Amino acid sequence: MDDKPSSGTVSESSELLFSFGVIADIQYANLEDGYNYQGNRRRYYRHSLVHLQAAIEHWNKESSRPCCVLQLGDIIDGYNAQYKASEKSLELVMNVFQMLQVPVHHTWGNHEFYNFSREYLTNSKLNTKFLEDQIVHHPETVPTGSYYAYHFSPFPKFRFILLDAYDLSVLGVDQSSPKYQQCLKMLKEHNPNMELNSPQGLSEPQFVQFNGGFSQEQLNWLNAVLTFSDRNQEKVVIVSHLPIYPDASDTVCLAWNYRDALAVIWSHECVFWSQKSEITVTGLRSSRLCVSCLSHNCDHIEGPPSNPGSSHLQSLNSITSGKFILLDKMYVNFLALSTEKNQWPV
């Protein structure tokens, strides 16, 4: 849009509707600093709590407090399972979240499933479906499958949808179950490598074990919710742990069947913004955060894949948190929390 205000500012003629916070990939573990799977990016396991606390303090102090916070998955690191510390680490992080004075909506990523089964997560505090919106006389908008997805309305004429990007996955599923066998078959049909986490030589690099996809049942539900929003002239925000827009992420990070999800989204007018747990904005790139704009009529936020002047944002274990300010002109303003210093970049 040509008449956007500059980054970090709000147009005097714009009316502030509401704001919401986002934080992703906390990946806490009570461990010394380490490196990612490829060994090329540093991870600050213990220090991640410092950034979470700083983000919560910021949100709580806001004069116009956000209506909610979206926690987009990988709340603790997979290493916790190796050290039998999964429940203890999750409890510690959730205790920090209790300081937040607004509701938090949790999505699930691969690190949740490295630590817990789907059954465990369904019965845990990471299941926030009790916050979902119940639309009277529209049962088709109520999720009925085993997938973890729901929608809610934070403000009149706006609807947020949380998708389950590991609805199809070999992670967190009983290996004797038919669904595990179905997903393993799908994965191996696209990935013949002995190491299923390796995308080497693949024409579709997203088919790796640490990713997942959306069942047809979930996509049918998504279509039903978007149809309701179209008819009621709502604006929709969609979030999940995995990106589904190829220009907004490395291909290896995409959901298995991202094209199927895009086909549903592009058949509707109501989606104006959709994002993964990775956000690129105002030239600041966090390697674990990136906005994907999925509708032809939505605002697309983008930035360079790396910024030498903001190299402190490049840690794979970086936490980016912020406040998206939704204005009457649909401008999305984002403040990113540095991964090494407790400051908000200008």
Side-chain angles (χ1 to χ4, degrees):
M1 294 178 288
D2 296 334
D3 54 355
K4 287 185 195 174
S6 61
S7 174
T9 65
V10 176
S11 170
E12 292 181 0
S13 62
S14 297
E15 177 189 4
L16 175 64
L17 301 181
F18 69 101
S19 66
F20 63 98
V22 176
I23 194 162
D25 295 86
I26 297 169
Q27 291 185 230
Y28 170 77
N30 186 21
L31 295 173
E32 298 297 326
D33 296 347
Y35 288 87
N36 64 333
Y37 180 75
Q38 291 81 11
N40 57 1
R41 285 174 177 162
R42 197 165 180 84
R43 286 181 167 175
Y44 304 93
Y45 298 110
R46 291 195 185 104
H47 200 64
S48 62
L49 281 188
V50 174
H51 297 306
L52 174 59
Q53 290 164 348
I56 290 174
E57 289 173 6
H58 176 85
W59 288 319
N60 286 342
K61 291 177 181 177
E62 282 288 284
S63 56
S64 178
R65 190 171 294 167
C67 64
C68 66
V69 167
L70 305 176
Q71 188 282 114
L72 298 180
D74 286 0
I75 193 169
I76 63 174
D77 195 86
Y79 270 126
N80 286 287
Q82 181 179 330
Y83 293 96
K84 301 187 185 305
S86 301
E87 292 186 348
K88 183 177 181 180
S89 291
L90 178 60
E91 182 180 7
L92 181 59
V93 178
M94 295 303 284
N95 285 342
V96 176
F97 266 111
Q98 285 185 350
M99 297 187 298
L100 185 63
Q101 296 172 12
V102 299
V104 56
H105 297 264
H106 295 288
T107 63
W108 302 343
N110 49 311
H111 282 262
E112 274 78 14
F113 292 110
Y114 294 156
N115 286 282
F116 307 109
S117 68
R118 178 171 288 270
E119 181 181 7
Y120 182 97
L121 291 171
T122 300
N123 295 292
S124 75
K125 293 180 180 179
L126 290 178
N127 183 345
T128 46
K129 284 187 72 173
F130 65 90
L131 296 171
E132 69 181 336
D133 186 20
Q134 300 285 347
I135 302 176
V136 180
H137 305 309
H138 287 275
E140 73 280 5
T141 65
V142 178
T144 57
S146 60
Y147 53 88
Y148 172 66
Y150 66 93
H151 59 88
F152 66 98
S153 178
F155 190 85
K157 294 299 180 180
F158 284 85
R159 188 163 304 280
F160 284 25
I161 302 176
L162 281 69
L163 294 180
D164 184 349
Y166 289 86
D167 184 11
L168 298 178
S169 173
V170 296
L171 302 178
V173 185
D174 185 347
Q175 295 187 10
S176 64
S177 68
K179 186 165 186 177
Y180 175 87
Q181 297 301 324
Q182 171 198 354
C183 294
L184 183 62
K185 182 176 182 290
M186 181 187 306
L187 178 57
K188 288 188 172 181
E189 285 175 350
H190 293 84
N191 186 343
N193 294 328
M194 290 293 294
E195 172 50 69
L196 290 174
N197 275 323
S198 172
Q200 184 175 358
L202 302 185
S203 59
E204 295 182 284
Q206 75 271 21
F207 279 95
V208 286
Q209 186 168 274
F210 56 77
N211 286 339
F214 311 98
S215 67
Q216 188 58 52
E217 186 179 18
Q218 184 178 181
L219 294 176
N220 291 343
W221 167 79
L222 173 62
N223 184 65
V225 177
L226 295 180
T227 298
F228 173 88
S229 292
D230 279 342
R231 291 172 178 170
N232 290 274
Q233 298 182 316
E234 294 180 332
K235 295 178 175 65
V236 175
V237 170
I238 300 176
V239 299
S240 74
H241 184 72
L242 294 176
I244 51 180
Y245 189 67
D247 290 346
S249 173
D250 292 337
T251 309
V252 71
C253 295
L254 293 167
W256 286 352
N257 57 338
Y258 70 91
R259 294 184 184 89
D260 296 335
L262 283 177
V264 173
I265 291 169
W266 278 337
S267 68
H268 295 274
E269 295 294 326
C270 57
V271 181
F272 82 98
W273 188 76
S274 180
Q275 89 74 280
K276 186 261 169 200
S277 65
E278 312 206 353
I279 291 172
T280 303
V281 65
T282 61
L284 299 177
R285 164 80 179 181
S286 165
S287 60
R288 293 291 285 178
L289 267 122
C290 137
V291 167
S292 40
C293 173
L294 302 180
S295 176
H296 300 296
N297 61 352
C298 70
D299 188 13
H300 187 74
I301 303 176
E302 59 185 352
S306 62
N307 186 331
S310 303
S311 60
H312 57 277
L313 291 180
Q314 299 307 310
S315 166
L316 184 60
N317 193 43
S318 63
I319 299 173
T320 301
S321 60
K323 190 175 80 165
F324 293 75
I325 303 175
L326 303 189
L327 306 173
D328 54 2
K329 295 181 180 179
M330 293 304 96
Y331 176 64
V332 182
N333 184 33
F334 178 79
L335 298 175
L337 179 62
S338 163
T339 62
E340 292 186 358
K341 298 178 182 178
N342 294 324
Q343 62 182 16
W344 296 91
V346 177

